[in-house]
Amino acid sequence: MLAIVSVSRLDSDRIEIGVARPQHDSNPTRNYPSEKEVRGVLSDFGISEGAIDTHLKLLAQMGASEQLKFPPMDIPQHELLAKGFRL
């Protein structure tokens, strides 16, 4: 399934992952208490370690609720469902 994955840091210092389908209104989010958990989810989605590192380093420099998006990618629907993202 073609999806756009985003990450943002919440006021509570948790990290939120959002998944959206292009040209659809649905944008389910999940938040995680640690960067380690976020790395695991993003890696399971097929995002490279280099891209994850770059985005998380930038995210650390940004304010709360600012969002960074990864380029659109094909993520197996079963992987999205396994992580709690229903599109």
Side-chain angles (χ1 to χ4, degrees):
M1 172 182 299
L2 187 63
I4 300 169
V5 177
S6 62
V7 291
S8 60
R9 188 170 301 280
L10 303 175
D11 287 331
S12 61
D13 238 11
R14 295 174 69 90
I15 300 173
E16 181 178 77
I17 296 177
V19 178
R21 290 178 57 195
Q23 300 179 350
H24 287 80
D25 291 333
S26 177
N27 185 18
T29 61
R30 308 270 306 178
N31 60 67
Y32 300 89
S34 72
E35 188 176 297
K36 182 179 179 181
E37 286 181 76
V38 169
R39 286 179 177 278
V41 172
L42 296 175
S43 180
D44 288 347
F45 286 170
I47 300 173
S48 72
E49 288 299 317
I52 294 170
D53 287 344
T54 301
H55 277 67
L56 291 180
K57 284 179 187 174
L58 285 172
L59 192 63
Q61 299 171 16
M62 298 170 63
S65 299
E66 291 187 73
Q67 190 178 74
L68 287 173
K69 293 182 179 180
F70 291 91
M73 65 191 74
D74 190 32
I75 303 172
Q77 188 166 6
H78 72 271
E79 194 63 54
L80 293 168
L81 292 172
K83 301 298 182 201
F85 293 94
R86 302 201 188 314
L87 295 173

